[in-house]
Amino acid sequence: MIFRICALALLLSPGLAMAAPGGLDVSGTINWISDAPVEKIIGTADGKASLTVDFADLSTLKGTFTVAVKSMKTGNEKRDSHLMGTTWLDAEAHPEITFVIKSIKVGEAPTGDAVKTATVEATGDFTCHGKTKAITAPVTLKWKGKKVKISTVFEVSLDDYGIEGKSGIVGNKVGKTIAVNATFKGKAN
Amino acid sequence: MRVGAYICFALALACAGIWVAHGQHMATLTQKLVTKEVVDPEFGDTELVKEWVDTFEIGLDIAGPAAGGLVFLGFGLLFVNRRKKRVAGSTAESLEN
């Protein structure tokens, strides 16, 4: 009888069903901007992530975000092929850009009723062009039942990841830092 | 020939004008990101959705060499025209003498 009551409670309340750490599969688009004195390049990339989180305790958020380098687009095919080349991101040698969450700093308590919203600070290992560096980024989480939306904004310095490009291009036609804005959506498993 | 040179200069100016009108890109864009403000039906918040749409916005990679080539051709035509005139003048002079 107790088992039946518990099972019924879990079925009726998605919030309760997610109280235990659960898996999340999310995917989304990453928008990035290189703002240099000569040229502003706006691009996109496709990303996905496998995460685990207990929404009752957001500090349990763990997982890896992955972006396929070959999915990066700038609106000019020749420029895209240069971007994949050895002088830039070297897509053959380093096909993925990843961010592995190591720790989460939870700020204020989640707000909202039907849609819960919370902002946390995610610290983790950002790997690009074969080099890894610890970064911290603000992450906004929204969830409603089993549906989840994760968004973040941060900057990547090309110098930190050994991306030199052709001489004289970085800081002139390509920004020294790239502004990244990513939004992922998905469902809890 | 002189008219041809002026046409070349005009076309070079037109190339530069098209490049300016297309947004002064360094690289020619065959696709452009269009931002739309939409309400997320699942979460009810407003978000900016960006979509690639086909376009053709000429960049300096095409407009630059095209305009440069036309200016070069224009000056070439002027030079040939001037030379022809000089040769014609000197021939007429030698015939008179």
Side-chain angles (χ1 to χ4, degrees), chain A residues 31-184:
Chain A
N31 295 296
W32 54 269
I33 297 174
S34 153
D35 200 354
V38 174
E39 195 175 17
K40 184 177 184 178
I41 302 168
I42 302 170
T44 61
D46 298 328
K48 60 183 181 178
S50 285
L51 309 166
T52 55
V53 64
D54 172 1
F55 282 98
D57 178 11
L58 294 175
S59 66
T60 59
L61 180 63
K62 289 272 183 287
T64 304
F65 290 86
T66 308
V67 174
V69 173
K70 283 190 175 172
S71 72
M72 294 177 84
K73 281 178 76 173
T74 67
N76 179 290
E77 284 179 16
K78 198 176 174 186
R79 189 165 56 192
D80 293 349
S81 68
H82 287 165
L83 185 62
M84 310 296 154
T86 50
T87 48
W88 294 96
L89 292 175
D90 198 357
E92 291 300 326
H94 313 291
E96 290 180 338
I97 296 169
T98 58
F99 177 63
V100 182
I101 300 171
K102 294 288 179 189
S103 67
I104 295 288
K105 188 179 167 190
V106 183
E108 291 176 9
T111 57
D113 297 320
V115 178
K116 296 271 188 196
T117 304
T119 302
V120 299
E121 266 188 14
T123 300
D125 291 339
F126 188 86
T127 304
C128 179
H129 196 236
K131 294 203 172 181
T132 303
K133 195 173 181 262
I135 65 163
T136 300
V139 176
T140 302
L141 290 146
K142 288 189 177 190
W143 66 100
K144 181 185 177 185
K146 286 194 166 188
K147 290 172 182 170
V148 186
K149 185 171 171 177
I150 300 167
S151 50
T152 183
V153 177
F154 60 94
E155 285 192 343
V156 176
S157 167
L158 297 184
D159 192 41
D160 289 345
Y161 301 94
I163 303 164
E164 293 170 353
K166 284 187 180 174
S167 66
I169 301 273
V170 175
N172 187 22
K173 288 182 182 175
V174 175
K176 287 180 180 174
T177 56
I178 306 296
V180 180
N181 182 335
T183 300
F184 294 84

Side-chain angles (χ1 to χ4, degrees), chain B residues 26-48:
Chain B
M26 294 299 287
T28 298
L29 295 183
T30 52
Q31 283 197 311
K32 189 181 179 181
L33 262 186
V34 174
T35 307
K36 288 179 191 168
E37 202 173 291
V38 295
V39 175
D40 188 331
E42 289 170 349
F43 294 93
D45 56 345
T46 307
E47 60 181 16
L48 298 173

